[in-house]
Amino acid sequence: NLNSSVENLRYTAERENSKRYFLQTSLVLIVIFLLLILLLVVIYSETQVDGLTKLRNRRALNIRVGKLASSEKRYSAIMIDIDNFKKLNDTFGHAFGDEVLRTVASILIKNESHNVKCYRYGGEEMVIILEHFNLEHAVRLSEYIRNEISCLKWRYDVHVTASFGLGFEMPDSIK
């Protein structure tokens, strides 16, 4: 009877230890899985985001425009080019040029929404894609951003401006 009770206690303790080991192992595997997902998200975002400006990069732009072109969504595109950027870079240095790019990009990022996405096309060129917006909305947003850029104050006595180009795409079913 005493042996049976001791054996029963030993069996219960071993079962509890097995449960605890299983739960600990499961928890470790879940944490590893979540860390791998986080790593994949970071790697994916690194391939889609420009490191200097934090805008989406040209690769992301090409993917988005490809999807839009094959869909039935209408969209507008705004192309932005910082005027005389090479001269700014040559006169005040690349650090100041980077500051200009980051600051202009921050204005674009402030205007992002679910249907408005901003991209660095290359160099001093940036693109805004407006889904479900007509050309009038794109003109208004362009003028607003152009004014914001023009009003910026810089550590050097310079006036930074930008030129804008607009385009509009309608699906064939609407044309």
Side-chain angles (χ1 to χ4, degrees), residues 74-112:
R74 74 173 174 209
Y75 63 97
S76 299
I78 303 169
M79 182 73 148
I80 302 164
D81 185 81
I82 300 171
D83 298 329
N84 304 308
F85 184 75
K86 182 178 177 349
K87 184 177 179 184
L88 285 173
N89 245 356
D90 292 345
T91 305
F92 301 106
H94 291 282
F96 181 68
D98 289 351
E99 179 184 332
V100 169
L101 290 171
R102 281 191 300 270
T103 304
V104 170
S106 73
I107 291 171
L108 273 57
I109 289 168
K110 280 190 328 191
N111 288 282
E112 280 193 322

Side-chain angles (χ1 to χ4, degrees), residues 12 21 42 53 96 107 122 124 143 157 161 163:
T12 302
Y21 177 77
V42 168
T53 63
F96 181 68
I107 291 171
E124 73 278 9
E143 184 57 28
D157 186 27
T161 58
S163 298

